[in-house]
Amino acid sequence: MTEQRIPQGGLPRPRPKLAPINAATTTTKHEERDLLGRYRIWYTKEDRYLRPMQIGPAGIYVVGNFCDLVLVETERNPWY
């Protein structure tokens, strides 16, 4: 508790305890296909410890008549 967090009287600012957060992380798209032919698609980003974290809900898609993916169901985030 002897470290001063606010510089006073012209003292240099102390170094931060944690590494700086890189806000420009890339978003990664993940796709899984089950035996029924459905696709589960979700997106992740890395947190400050480089662990992947899910961004938003996952979507369940099926292949439509014109070979495009059609949203059937939306899964909630796993932490709800």
Side-chain angles (χ1 to χ4, degrees):
M1 287 291 183
T2 61
E3 180 183 357
Q4 294 178 352
R5 296 305 298 166
I6 300 174
Q8 297 176 352
L11 296 174
R13 180 172 290 213
R15 297 182 58 106
K17 293 183 179 181
L18 298 175
I21 299 173
N22 185 4
T25 59
T26 59
T27 303
T28 307
K29 180 179 180 180
H30 300 276
E31 299 178 4
E32 286 182 352
R33 185 171 185 262
D34 61 2
L35 297 175
L36 298 174
R38 299 181 300 181
Y39 291 89
R40 181 176 184 264
I41 299 175
W42 74 98
Y43 296 91
T44 60
K45 275 193 166 190
E46 294 177 343
D47 62 359
R48 71 168 57 205
Y49 304 107
L50 301 177
R51 292 181 301 203
M53 293 182 60
Q54 183 175 340
I55 304 296
I60 306 296
Y61 295 87
V62 295
V63 178
N65 294 334
F66 300 106
C67 298
D68 55 345
L69 293 177
V70 178
L71 181 65
V72 175
E73 182 181 349
T74 302
E75 288 184 354
R76 293 184 64 144
N77 295 336
W79 53 86
Y80 284 121

